[in-house]
Amino acid sequence: MLVVFKNNCKRLWGEKMYLVISLILMIAAVSAAILLTTRIETKGNIALVVPDQQVLSESDSALLANPYFNVTVLEKTPETSTLVQSRYDAVITTNSDGNDEITTIKNMAFKTMLESALTNPAGFVPDNSQVRQTGTNILGFMMMFLLMQGVLYARFFAEDKEKHLIKRIAVSPIPFIQYILGHGAFIFIIIAVPSFLVVGAAALMGIDIGFSLPVYAGLIGVLALLATAFALFLNSFFDVADTANMLGSSIIVLTSILAGSFCSLSKEATLFDKLIHLLPQKDFINFIDALEKGSLSQSTRYQLVYVVALAVLFLAIAVVNTRKDYVYH
Amino acid sequence: MTTINLRNLYLISKEDFRNLFKNPMWLFYNAAFPFLLIVILGFLSKDSYGGEVSSFDYYGITLMIYTVISSGMTSANAFMEVTIRKPNMRIIYAPGNERVIYLSKILSTFLFCLLCHLGVAALVFTMFHIHVDAIPQLLILLVLTELFSVGLGVMFCCVFKTEAMANQILSIVINIFAILGGLLFPMDGYGPVVRGLSYLSPAKWLANTSFSMIYDHNFSWFYPTVLGLILATLVVFIICAKTFRKEDCIC
C-alpha cells in the first residue's frame, strides 16, 4: 500500500507543472468558496419605485427601516430582466389611489409575506429556519470542487488501467486491496491536505469560517473520503480515463445541485425530496447544518454515518470490481 | 491555406465528426446531461416562482450557457484521445499542413456540440414553453460562444501538452465561472459584494446580455459581447497556432 502511495507521489512530482497548477486551482476554488460565502447577504431585495416629488408613504418608510429587507429606492421601475435574475425579489410601486402595488415573479407565499411586512412592520419576523450559516455555506460550496478533484486525481489509477500496467500489478505479489487502497490514500491526502490548509489560513487571517479547525479537519476528511471512494468506484467500471472523467464530473455537478449544496431547492416533504436523501451530499449538508445550528439529533447523526458507510461501500465495490476484471481465478 | 489543405481539412474533419458519434460518452455529455440538468433543476425550483416567469425561463437560458461553455471539455478530450494518435501520425507523414490536426478537431467538435446543443435547446424550449425572444441574436451568441469554448479546450491541450491538465483546469475554471455568473443558481440577490464579484465571470455577461435581450429588448449589451467573443476567439486561435507542436499528438 505504501509502495503504491509513494510511487504515485513520485509520479506526481515528475509532473511539477501539473502539480503546481492543480494545487493553485484547488486553492483558488476553496478561496473562492470562502470569499463568496462569507459575503452572502440573504435578505430580500426590494425595489421601491418613488417617482420625483412624491413623498414616501408611511408603510414605505417603515419598510425602509425593516432590518430583514434590503430596500433600494428607484425613480423608475427596474427592467424585467433584473427580476428574472433575482436582482430584485419584488418591485413596489404606488398606484394612483396611493396604495402599494407589489410586482414579483416569486410565488404567492413570498408575496403574502411581503404584504404582511408592509401592513404590519412591527410584528413581522421572517422564517429564518432555511437560512444557512457561514460554515455550512463554505462546505457546501467546497463540496462540489472537492468531489470533482477526486475524479481528476484518480487519473493515475485510470492511467494504470488505460496502459494495462494493472495487468502486471495483478500478477505481482502485492494484494489487490492494498493496491487500490494505496491509490485511495494518495487521492485522499492530495484532496484533504491543501483544502484544509486554505481553510486554516483563512481562520488565521481572522475570517469567520463558522466551525472550529478540528471540526473542519473531520468534515473535510469525510468529504475527501467520499470523493476518493466515488472516483475509484467510477474508474473501476471504465477502461478509458476520459469516460470516467466526463461522466464523473457530470454526475457530481448534477447531484451536488440536486442535493442543494449551494442553496436549498425544495422545501416540501415530497417523495422526490425523500429520494434526494439518498444522495450523500444532501445528508452531509443536513448534518453540518444541524451541527452549526446546534440542533443535532439522532437522525442527523445517522446521516453522517450513512455518508461514511456509502463511501466504504463505494471503495469495496471498486476493489471487488477491479479484482474481478484483472485477477484470474 | 491552399486548396489541398482545405480539402484535407474537410476530409479529416468529416472523419473526426463521425468518430465523435461513436463514443456514447460525448453524446451523453452534450445532449443527455444538459437536458437532465434543465429538467431536474427546473422542476425542483418550480415552486418558488409565480405565474409570469417560470423557473424554466431562468434555468433554460442559464443552463444552456453552462452547457455551451462546457463544450471545451469535449474538444479537449477529443483532441488528445488515445485512439486518434495513430491517425495523427499518418497526417504528419502525409503531404500538406499538419495544422489540420487541431483545426479539424476544433471544427468537428464545434459542429458536433452545436448540433447537440441546438437539439437540446429546441426540445427543452418547446417542451416547457420557455420564453425566448431575439432568437437570431441568441443564435449568433450561441455559435460564437461555442466556437470560443471549443477553441479554449484545444488551446489548453496545446499549451500544457497533456489532457489531464487541460481537464483539471477546464473543469475548475468553468465551474467557478458558472457559479460566480449565477448559472447554477441566481447570484444577484446575495448582496452588493457578491453582485460585483459575479461580473468577474464572462458567463455573467452572457447571461445578462441574453436576459436583457429577451425581457427588455435591450440590445446595448449585445454588440460589446459579440465583439469581446470574437476577440477572445482570435486570441485562442493565435495561442493554438503558436503553441501547437505536432510531436505532442502522436503515440
Side-chain angles (χ1 to χ4, degrees):
Chain A
M1 192 173 146
L2 215 58
V3 182
V4 180
F5 179 74
K6 275 186 189 157
N7 185 45
N8 271 349
C9 292
K10 281 180 192 149
R11 276 159 94 173
L12 192 63
W13 192 244
E15 296 172 57
K16 289 200 189 58
M17 179 90 157
Y18 174 80
L19 179 68
V20 169
I21 290 203
S22 44
L23 283 181
I24 290 176
L25 286 171
M26 180 91 161
I27 292 168
V30 178
S31 332
I34 296 176
L35 188 74
L36 268 181
T37 47
T38 46
R39 279 168 180 73
I40 278 182
E41 293 170 23
T42 45
K43 289 178 184 173
N45 289 291
I46 312 293
L48 189 61
V49 183
V50 185
D52 276 345
Q53 304 127 9
Q54 198 180 327
V55 206
L56 278 178
S57 70
E58 203 175 304
S59 59
D60 288 345
S61 10
L63 187 71
L64 266 176
N66 196 322
Y68 300 114
F69 289 106
N70 199 348
V71 184
T72 322
V73 180
L74 296 173
E75 295 233 318
K76 273 190 274 175
T77 320
E79 289 158 326
T80 324
S81 68
T82 54
L83 279 172
V84 178
Q85 294 189 76
S86 299
R87 167 63 185 91
Y88 301 109
D89 295 317
V91 179
I92 299 178
T93 43
T94 314
N95 59 14
S96 47
D97 314 339
N99 291 328
D100 287 330
E101 208 170 285
I102 301 172
T103 323
T104 177
I105 60 164
K106 293 278 150 75
N107 55 9
M108 279 312 284
F110 182 81
K111 203 170 174 178
T112 16
M113 185 199 80
L114 191 60
E115 273 163 359
S116 75
L118 272 173
T119 46
N120 177 22
F124 176 74
V125 178
D127 174 24
N128 254 345
S129 61
Q130 292 286 336
V131 177
R132 288 178 185 160
Q133 288 163 354
T134 325
T136 314
N137 265 330
I138 291 180
L139 278 167
F141 272 69
M142 271 168 65
M143 182 154 65
M144 188 171 99
F145 289 104
L146 292 194
L147 291 176
M148 276 184 140
Q149 291 287 305
V151 177
L152 291 168
Y153 281 119
R155 75 184 187 93
F156 287 128
F157 179 55
E159 211 172 83
D160 279 357
K161 289 186 78 170
E162 205 170 80
K163 292 187 176 164
H164 303 294
L165 293 170
I166 196 167
K167 283 187 181 163
R168 300 186 177 195
I169 295 163
V171 292
S172 74
I174 176 170
F176 228 72
I177 185 160
Q178 290 192 12
Y179 164 70
I180 300 221
L181 288 183
H183 274 301
F186 168 76
I187 302 171
F188 179 84
I189 285 179
I190 197 118
I191 295 175
V193 172
S195 45
F196 178 69
L197 288 180
V198 178
V199 174
L204 281 183
M205 283 192 291
I207 300 172
D208 172 35
I209 51 168
F211 293 112
S212 67
L213 279 181
V215 178
Y216 257 109
L219 293 175
I220 289 179
V222 173
L223 272 186
L225 181 70
L226 184 66
T228 311
F230 181 68
L232 290 175
F233 167 75
L234 202 65
N235 270 294
S236 74
F237 285 96
F238 300 102
D239 290 337
V240 188
D242 292 353
T243 313
N245 189 350
M246 292 182 86
L247 188 64
S249 42
S250 19
I251 290 178
I252 287 165
V253 171
L254 192 63
T255 51
S256 295
I257 300 171
L258 260 182
S261 50
F262 305 108
C263 50
S264 183
L265 282 170
S266 61
K267 292 170 184 85
E268 290 144 59
T270 53
L271 176 70
F272 194 68
D273 194 50
K274 289 199 181 87
L275 282 178
I276 286 179
H277 275 280
L278 286 175
L279 298 174
Q281 290 107 311
K282 177 79 178 176
D283 296 289
F284 185 76
I285 285 286
N286 268 359
F287 172 77
I288 53 174
D289 195 33
L291 185 67
E292 194 166 22
K293 287 179 180 156
S295 58
L296 271 186
S297 66
Q298 199 62 39
S299 66
T300 40
R301 281 200 193 93
Y302 279 132
Q303 287 183 324
L304 187 73
V305 176
Y306 171 74
V307 176
V308 178
L310 200 68
V312 174
L313 181 72
F314 277 151
L315 271 180
I317 294 176
V319 174
V320 172
N321 198 32
T322 328
R323 185 156 49 191
K324 183 185 89 218
D325 288 346
Y326 291 101
V327 178
Y328 297 102
H329 295 289
Chain B
M1 274 277 178
T2 51
T3 349
I4 178 111
N5 281 333
L6 278 178
R7 197 182 129 75
N8 283 351
L9 183 63
Y10 166 71
L11 288 174
I12 299 169
S13 303
K14 204 170 72 181
E15 210 52 51
D16 279 332
F17 187 64
R18 254 187 228 146
N19 194 29
L20 282 168
F21 279 97
K22 280 184 198 152
N23 190 339
M25 199 52 226
W26 304 150
L27 276 173
F28 168 80
Y29 191 79
N30 284 300
F33 173 57
F35 180 76
L36 279 176
L37 205 58
I38 295 175
V39 172
I40 293 178
L41 264 180
F43 268 118
L44 266 183
S45 50
K46 209 165 77 179
D47 294 341
S48 61
Y49 283 81
E52 282 164 60
V53 178
S54 77
S55 54
F56 287 104
D57 288 337
Y58 182 77
Y59 285 114
I61 303 290
T62 56
L63 290 174
M64 275 320 290
I65 298 175
Y66 179 67
T67 314
V68 173
I69 61 172
S70 323
S71 44
M73 294 282 280
T74 313
S75 69
N77 285 305
F79 180 45
M80 288 264 170
E81 217 185 345
V82 192
T83 45
I84 58 159
R85 301 210 155 188
K86 276 180 187 162
N88 282 345
M89 193 74 157
R90 292 176 56 179
I91 298 170
I92 288 172
Y93 272 98
N97 201 326
E98 71 269 357
R99 284 189 196 290
V100 291
I101 293 181
Y102 76 86
L103 286 176
S104 68
K105 291 331 167 263
I106 294 183
L107 199 65
S108 57
T109 325
F110 167 69
L111 284 177
F112 176 78
C113 291
L114 194 65
L115 207 68
C116 289
H117 298 163
L118 280 179
V120 171
L123 187 66
V124 171
F125 281 42
T126 46
M127 258 174 87
F128 301 109
H129 311 290
I130 295 176
H131 178 68
V132 274
D133 215 335
I135 294 171
Q137 281 86 348
L138 284 180
L139 280 178
I140 292 175
L141 276 186
L142 176 78
V143 169
L144 285 175
T145 318
E146 194 93 65
L147 192 62
F148 165 72
S149 45
V150 166
L152 193 73
V154 171
M155 185 194 91
F156 278 125
C157 284
C158 285
V159 173
F160 296 110
K161 318 292 179 206
T162 64
E163 191 185 354
M165 190 111 98
N167 272 329
Q168 190 113 11
I169 296 176
L170 277 171
S171 66
I172 291 192
V173 169
I174 288 173
N175 283 301
I176 289 184
F177 277 166
I179 289 175
L180 262 182
L183 295 187
L184 304 180
F185 52 96
M187 242 355 212
D188 268 6
Y190 286 138
V193 184
V194 175
R195 199 153 50 236
L197 279 174
S198 80
Y199 278 93
L200 287 176
S201 156
K204 178 72 195 168
W205 310 337
L206 283 171
N208 223 339
T209 315
S210 315
F211 282 121
S212 27
M213 286 198 304
I214 294 173
Y215 289 96
D216 312 326
H217 309 288
N218 171 5
F219 295 90
S220 57
W221 279 70
F222 177 65
Y223 297 104
T225 313
V226 166
L227 200 68
L229 274 173
I230 292 175
L231 281 179
T233 314
L234 278 180
V235 170
V236 163
F237 273 76
I238 291 170
I239 295 179
C240 279
K242 295 268 180 221
T243 52
F244 172 72
R245 277 192 322 170
K246 56 185 182 227
E247 295 85 357
D248 300 322
C249 313
I250 50 177
C251 19

Coordinates of all heavy atoms in Angstrom, one line a residue, chain B residues 116-180:
Chain B
C116 N -25.7 19.1 -31.1 CA -26.3 18.5 -29.9 C -27.1 19.6 -29.1 O -28.2 19.5 -28.7 CB -25.3 18.0 -28.9 SG -24.5 16.5 -29.5
H117 N -26.4 20.8 -28.9 CA -27.0 21.8 -28.1 C -28.2 22.4 -28.7 O -29.2 22.8 -28.0 CB -25.9 22.9 -27.8 CG -24.7 22.3 -27.0 ND1 -23.5 23.0 -26.9 CD2 -24.6 21.2 -26.3 CE1 -22.7 22.3 -26.2 NE2 -23.3 21.2 -25.9
L118 N -28.2 22.6 -30.1 CA -29.4 23.1 -30.7 C -30.5 22.2 -30.6 O -31.7 22.6 -30.3 CB -29.1 23.4 -32.2 CG -28.3 24.6 -32.5 CD1 -28.1 24.7 -34.0 CD2 -29.1 25.9 -32.1
G119 N -30.2 20.9 -30.7 CA -31.3 19.9 -30.5 C -31.9 20.0 -29.1 O -33.1 20.0 -28.9
V120 N -31.0 20.0 -28.1 CA -31.5 20.1 -26.7 C -32.3 21.4 -26.5 O -33.4 21.3 -25.9 CB -30.3 20.1 -25.7 CG1 -30.7 20.4 -24.3 CG2 -29.6 18.7 -25.7
A121 N -31.8 22.5 -27.0 CA -32.4 23.8 -26.8 C -33.8 23.7 -27.5 O -34.8 24.1 -26.8 CB -31.6 24.9 -27.4
A122 N -33.9 23.2 -28.7 CA -35.2 23.2 -29.4 C -36.2 22.3 -28.6 O -37.3 22.7 -28.4 CB -35.0 22.6 -30.8
L123 N -35.7 21.2 -28.1 CA -36.6 20.2 -27.4 C -37.1 20.9 -26.1 O -38.3 21.0 -25.8 CB -35.8 19.0 -27.1 CG -36.6 17.8 -26.4 CD1 -37.6 17.3 -27.4 CD2 -35.6 16.7 -26.0
V124 N -36.1 21.4 -25.3 CA -36.5 21.9 -24.0 C -37.3 23.2 -24.1 O -38.3 23.3 -23.4 CB -35.2 22.2 -23.2 CG1 -35.5 22.9 -21.9 CG2 -34.5 20.9 -22.8
F125 N -37.0 24.1 -25.0 CA -37.7 25.3 -25.1 C -39.1 25.1 -25.5 O -40.0 25.9 -25.1 CB -36.9 26.3 -26.1 CG -35.7 26.9 -25.4 CD1 -34.9 26.2 -24.6 CD2 -35.5 28.3 -25.6 CE1 -33.8 26.8 -24.1 CE2 -34.4 28.9 -25.0 CZ -33.5 28.1 -24.2
T126 N -39.4 24.1 -26.4 CA -40.8 23.9 -26.8 C -41.5 23.1 -25.7 O -42.7 23.3 -25.4 CB -40.9 23.1 -28.1 OG1 -40.0 22.0 -28.1 CG2 -40.5 24.0 -29.3
M127 N -40.8 22.1 -25.0 CA -41.4 21.3 -24.0 C -42.0 22.2 -22.9 O -43.1 22.0 -22.4 CB -40.5 20.3 -23.5 CG -40.6 18.9 -24.0 SD -39.3 17.9 -23.4 CE -40.0 17.3 -21.8
F128 N -41.2 23.1 -22.4 CA -41.5 23.9 -21.2 C -42.0 25.3 -21.5 O -42.0 26.1 -20.6 CB -40.4 23.8 -20.2 CG -40.0 22.5 -19.8 CD1 -38.8 21.9 -20.2 CD2 -40.9 21.7 -19.0 CE1 -38.5 20.6 -19.9 CE2 -40.5 20.4 -18.7 CZ -39.4 19.9 -19.1
H129 N -42.2 25.6 -22.8 CA -42.7 26.9 -23.2 C -41.8 28.0 -22.6 O -42.3 28.9 -22.0 CB -44.1 27.1 -22.8 CG -45.0 26.0 -23.2 ND1 -45.3 25.7 -24.5 CD2 -45.6 25.1 -22.5 CE1 -46.1 24.6 -24.5 NE2 -46.3 24.2 -23.3
I130 N -40.5 27.8 -22.8 CA -39.6 28.8 -22.2 C -39.7 30.1 -23.1 O -39.7 30.0 -24.3 CB -38.1 28.3 -22.2 CG1 -38.1 27.1 -21.3 CG2 -37.1 29.4 -21.8 CD1 -36.8 26.4 -21.2
H131 N -39.8 31.2 -22.4 CA -39.9 32.5 -23.1 C -38.6 32.9 -23.7 O -37.6 33.1 -23.0 CB -40.4 33.5 -22.1 CG -40.5 34.9 -22.6 ND1 -41.5 35.2 -23.5 CD2 -39.8 36.0 -22.4 CE1 -41.4 36.5 -23.9 NE2 -40.4 37.0 -23.2
V132 N -38.6 33.0 -25.1 CA -37.4 33.5 -25.7 C -37.8 34.6 -26.7 O -38.9 34.6 -27.2 CB -36.6 32.4 -26.5 CG1 -35.6 31.7 -25.6 CG2 -37.5 31.5 -27.2
D133 N -36.9 35.4 -27.0 CA -37.1 36.5 -27.9 C -35.7 36.8 -28.5 O -34.7 36.2 -28.1 CB -37.6 37.7 -27.1 CG -38.6 38.5 -28.0 OD1 -38.5 38.4 -29.2 OD2 -39.4 39.2 -27.4
A134 N -35.7 37.6 -29.6 CA -34.5 37.9 -30.2 C -33.7 36.7 -30.6 O -32.5 36.6 -30.3 CB -33.6 38.9 -29.3
I135 N -34.3 35.7 -31.2 CA -33.7 34.4 -31.5 C -32.5 34.5 -32.4 O -31.5 33.9 -32.1 CB -34.8 33.4 -32.1 CG1 -35.8 33.1 -31.0 CG2 -34.1 32.1 -32.5 CD1 -37.0 32.3 -31.4
P136 N -32.5 35.4 -33.5 CA -31.3 35.4 -34.3 C -30.1 35.9 -33.5 O -29.0 35.3 -33.6 CB -31.6 36.5 -35.4 CG -33.1 36.6 -35.4 CD -33.6 36.2 -34.0
Q137 N -30.3 36.9 -32.6 CA -29.1 37.4 -31.8 C -28.7 36.3 -30.9 O -27.5 36.1 -30.7 CB -29.5 38.6 -31.0 CG -29.5 39.9 -31.8 CD -30.9 40.1 -32.5 OE1 -31.7 39.2 -32.6 NE2 -31.1 41.3 -33.1
L138 N -29.6 35.6 -30.2 CA -29.2 34.5 -29.3 C -28.4 33.4 -30.1 O -27.5 32.9 -29.5 CB -30.4 33.9 -28.7 CG -31.1 34.7 -27.6 CD1 -32.3 34.0 -27.0 CD2 -30.1 35.0 -26.4
L139 N -28.9 33.1 -31.3 CA -28.2 32.1 -32.1 C -26.7 32.6 -32.4 O -25.8 31.8 -32.3 CB -28.9 31.8 -33.4 CG -30.1 30.9 -33.2 CD1 -30.8 30.7 -34.5 CD2 -29.6 29.5 -32.7
I140 N -26.6 33.9 -32.7 CA -25.2 34.4 -33.0 C -24.4 34.2 -31.8 O -23.2 33.7 -31.8 CB -25.3 35.9 -33.4 CG1 -26.0 36.0 -34.8 CG2 -23.9 36.5 -33.5 CD1 -26.2 37.4 -35.2
L141 N -24.9 34.5 -30.6 CA -24.2 34.4 -29.4 C -23.8 32.9 -29.1 O -22.7 32.6 -28.8 CB -25.0 34.9 -28.2 CG -25.0 36.3 -27.8 CD1 -25.8 36.6 -26.5 CD2 -23.6 36.8 -27.7
L142 N -24.8 32.0 -29.4 CA -24.5 30.6 -29.2 C -23.4 30.1 -30.0 O -22.5 29.5 -29.6 CB -25.8 29.8 -29.5 CG -25.7 28.3 -29.4 CD1 -25.8 27.8 -28.0 CD2 -26.8 27.6 -30.2
V143 N -23.4 30.5 -31.3 CA -22.4 30.0 -32.3 C -21.0 30.5 -31.8 O -20.1 29.8 -31.8 CB -22.8 30.4 -33.7 CG1 -21.6 30.2 -34.6 CG2 -24.0 29.6 -34.2
L144 N -21.0 31.8 -31.5 CA -19.7 32.4 -31.2 C -19.1 31.8 -29.9 O -17.9 31.5 -29.8 CB -19.8 33.9 -31.1 CG -20.0 34.7 -32.4 CD1 -20.2 36.2 -32.1 CD2 -18.7 34.5 -33.2
T145 N -20.0 31.7 -28.9 CA -19.5 31.1 -27.6 C -19.1 29.7 -27.8 O -18.1 29.3 -27.2 CB -20.7 31.2 -26.6 OG1 -21.3 32.4 -26.7 CG2 -20.1 31.0 -25.2
E146 N -19.8 29.0 -28.6 CA -19.4 27.6 -28.9 C -18.0 27.5 -29.5 O -17.2 26.7 -29.0 CB -20.5 27.0 -29.8 CG -20.4 25.5 -29.9 CD -21.4 24.8 -28.9 OE1 -22.6 25.0 -29.1 OE2 -20.9 24.2 -28.1
L147 N -17.8 28.3 -30.5 CA -16.5 28.3 -31.2 C -15.4 28.7 -30.2 O -14.4 28.1 -30.1 CB -16.5 29.3 -32.3 CG -15.4 29.2 -33.3 CD1 -15.4 27.9 -34.0 CD2 -15.4 30.3 -34.3
F148 N -15.7 29.7 -29.3 CA -14.7 30.1 -28.4 C -14.4 29.0 -27.4 O -13.2 28.7 -27.2 CB -15.2 31.4 -27.6 CG -14.4 31.7 -26.4 CD1 -13.1 32.1 -26.5 CD2 -15.0 31.4 -25.1 CE1 -12.4 32.4 -25.3 CE2 -14.2 31.7 -24.0 CZ -13.0 32.2 -24.1
S149 N -15.4 28.4 -26.8 CA -15.1 27.4 -25.8 C -14.5 26.1 -26.3 O -13.6 25.5 -25.7 CB -16.3 27.1 -24.9 OG -17.4 26.9 -25.7
V150 N -14.9 25.7 -27.6 CA -14.2 24.6 -28.2 C -12.8 24.9 -28.4 O -11.9 24.1 -28.2 CB -15.0 24.2 -29.5 CG1 -14.2 23.3 -30.3 CG2 -16.3 23.6 -29.2
G151 N -12.5 26.1 -28.9 CA -11.1 26.5 -29.2 C -10.3 26.6 -27.9 O -9.2 26.2 -27.8
L152 N -11.0 27.0 -26.8 CA -10.3 27.1 -25.5 C -9.9 25.7 -25.0 O -8.7 25.6 -24.5 CB -11.3 27.7 -24.5 CG -10.7 28.2 -23.2 CD1 -9.9 29.4 -23.4 CD2 -11.7 28.4 -22.1
G153 N -10.7 24.7 -25.2 CA -10.3 23.4 -24.8 C -9.1 22.9 -25.5 O -8.2 22.4 -24.9
V154 N -9.1 23.1 -26.8 CA -7.9 22.7 -27.6 C -6.7 23.5 -27.2 O -5.6 23.0 -27.1 CB -8.2 22.8 -29.1 CG1 -7.0 22.6 -30.0 CG2 -9.3 21.8 -29.5
M155 N -6.9 24.8 -26.9 CA -5.8 25.7 -26.5 C -5.1 25.2 -25.3 O -3.9 25.1 -25.2 CB -6.3 27.1 -26.3 CG -5.2 28.1 -26.0 SD -5.8 29.6 -25.4 CE -5.8 29.3 -23.6
F156 N -5.9 24.7 -24.3 CA -5.3 24.2 -23.1 C -4.5 23.0 -23.3 O -3.4 22.8 -22.8 CB -6.3 24.0 -22.0 CG -6.7 25.2 -21.2 CD1 -8.0 25.6 -21.1 CD2 -5.8 26.0 -20.6 CE1 -8.4 26.7 -20.4 CE2 -6.1 27.1 -19.9 CZ -7.4 27.5 -19.8
C157 N -5.0 22.1 -24.3 CA -4.2 21.0 -24.6 C -2.9 21.3 -25.3 O -1.9 20.8 -25.1 CB -5.0 20.1 -25.6 SG -6.3 19.2 -24.8
C158 N -3.0 22.3 -26.2 CA -1.7 22.8 -26.9 C -0.7 23.4 -25.9 O 0.5 23.1 -26.0 CB -2.1 23.8 -28.0 SG -2.9 23.2 -29.4
V159 N -1.2 24.2 -25.0 CA -0.3 24.9 -24.1 C 0.3 23.9 -23.1 O 1.5 23.9 -22.9 CB -1.1 26.0 -23.3 CG1 -0.2 26.6 -22.3 CG2 -1.5 27.1 -24.3
F160 N -0.5 23.0 -22.5 CA 0.0 22.2 -21.4 C 0.4 20.8 -21.9 O 0.9 20.0 -21.1 CB -1.0 22.1 -20.3 CG -1.2 23.4 -19.7 CD1 -2.4 24.1 -19.8 CD2 -0.2 24.0 -18.9 CE1 -2.6 25.3 -19.3 CE2 -0.4 25.3 -18.4 CZ -1.6 25.9 -18.5
K161 N 0.2 20.4 -23.1 CA 0.6 19.2 -23.7 C -0.1 17.9 -23.2 O 0.1 16.9 -23.7 CB 2.1 19.0 -23.6 CG 3.0 20.2 -23.9 CD 2.9 20.6 -25.3 CE 3.7 21.9 -25.5 NZ 3.2 22.6 -26.7
T162 N -0.8 18.0 -22.0 CA -1.4 16.8 -21.6 C -2.9 17.1 -21.4 O -3.3 18.2 -21.1 CB -0.9 16.4 -20.2 OG1 -1.2 17.4 -19.2 CG2 0.6 16.0 -20.3
E163 N -3.7 16.0 -21.6 CA -5.1 16.1 -21.5 C -5.5 16.2 -20.0 O -6.4 17.0 -19.7 CB -5.6 14.7 -22.0 CG -7.1 14.7 -22.2 CD -7.4 13.2 -22.6 OE1 -6.5 12.4 -22.8 OE2 -8.6 13.0 -22.7
A164 N -4.8 15.6 -19.1 CA -5.1 15.6 -17.7 C -5.1 17.0 -17.2 O -6.0 17.4 -16.5 CB -4.1 14.8 -16.9
M165 N -4.1 17.8 -17.6 CA -4.0 19.2 -17.1 C -5.1 20.0 -17.7 O -5.8 20.8 -17.0 CB -2.7 19.7 -17.5 CG -2.4 21.0 -16.9 SD -1.1 20.8 -15.8 CE 0.2 21.4 -16.8
A166 N -5.4 19.8 -19.0 CA -6.5 20.6 -19.6 C -7.8 20.3 -18.9 O -8.6 21.2 -18.6 CB -6.6 20.2 -21.1
N167 N -8.0 19.0 -18.6 CA -9.3 18.6 -17.9 C -9.3 19.3 -16.5 O -10.4 19.9 -16.2 CB -9.3 17.1 -17.6 CG -9.9 16.4 -18.8 OD1 -10.7 16.9 -19.4 ND2 -9.4 15.2 -19.0
Q168 N -8.2 19.3 -15.8 CA -8.2 19.8 -14.5 C -8.5 21.3 -14.5 O -9.4 21.8 -13.7 CB -6.8 19.6 -13.9 CG -6.7 19.9 -12.4 CD -6.4 18.7 -11.6 OE1 -6.1 17.6 -12.2 NE2 -6.5 18.7 -10.4
I169 N -7.8 22.0 -15.4 CA -8.1 23.5 -15.5 C -9.5 23.8 -15.9 O -10.2 24.6 -15.3 CB -7.0 24.1 -16.4 CG1 -5.6 23.9 -15.9 CG2 -7.3 25.6 -16.6 CD1 -4.6 24.4 -16.8
L170 N -9.9 23.1 -17.0 CA -11.2 23.5 -17.6 C -12.3 23.2 -16.6 O -13.2 24.0 -16.3 CB -11.5 22.6 -18.8 CG -10.9 23.2 -20.1 CD1 -11.0 22.2 -21.2 CD2 -11.6 24.5 -20.5
S171 N -12.3 22.0 -15.9 CA -13.4 21.7 -15.1 C -13.5 22.7 -13.9 O -14.6 23.0 -13.5 CB -13.4 20.2 -14.6 OG -12.3 20.1 -13.7
I172 N -12.4 23.1 -13.3 CA -12.5 24.0 -12.2 C -12.8 25.4 -12.7 O -13.7 26.0 -12.1 CB -11.2 24.0 -11.4 CG1 -11.0 22.6 -10.7 CG2 -11.1 25.1 -10.4 CD1 -10.0 22.5 -9.7
V173 N -12.2 25.9 -13.7 CA -12.4 27.3 -14.2 C -13.9 27.4 -14.7 O -14.5 28.4 -14.3 CB -11.4 27.6 -15.3 CG1 -11.8 28.9 -16.0 CG2 -10.0 27.7 -14.7
I174 N -14.3 26.4 -15.4 CA -15.7 26.5 -15.9 C -16.7 26.6 -14.8 O -17.6 27.4 -14.7 CB -16.0 25.3 -16.9 CG1 -15.3 25.5 -18.2 CG2 -17.5 25.3 -17.1 CD1 -15.4 24.3 -19.1
N175 N -16.5 25.7 -13.8 CA -17.4 25.7 -12.7 C -17.4 26.9 -11.8 O -18.4 27.4 -11.3 CB -17.3 24.4 -11.9 CG -17.9 23.3 -12.6 OD1 -19.1 23.3 -12.9 ND2 -17.1 22.3 -13.0
I176 N -16.2 27.5 -11.6 CA -16.1 28.7 -10.8 C -16.8 29.8 -11.5 O -17.6 30.5 -11.0 CB -14.6 29.1 -10.5 CG1 -14.0 28.1 -9.5 CG2 -14.5 30.5 -10.0 CD1 -12.6 28.5 -9.2
F177 N -16.6 29.9 -12.8 CA -17.2 30.9 -13.6 C -18.7 30.7 -13.6 O -19.5 31.7 -13.5 CB -16.7 30.9 -15.1 CG -15.5 31.7 -15.3 CD1 -14.7 31.6 -16.4 CD2 -15.0 32.6 -14.3 CE1 -13.5 32.3 -16.6 CE2 -13.8 33.3 -14.5 CZ -13.1 33.1 -15.6
A178 N -19.2 29.5 -13.7 CA -20.6 29.2 -13.7 C -21.2 29.6 -12.4 O -22.3 30.2 -12.4 CB -20.8 27.7 -14.0
I179 N -20.6 29.3 -11.3 CA -21.2 29.6 -10.0 C -21.2 31.1 -9.8 O -22.2 31.7 -9.5 CB -20.5 28.9 -8.9 CG1 -20.8 27.4 -8.9 CG2 -20.9 29.5 -7.5 CD1 -20.0 26.6 -7.9
L180 N -20.0 31.7 -10.1 CA -19.9 33.2 -10.0 C -21.0 33.9 -10.9 O -21.6 34.9 -10.5 CB -18.6 33.7 -10.4 CG -17.5 33.9 -9.4 CD1 -16.2 34.4 -10.0 CD2 -18.0 34.9 -8.4

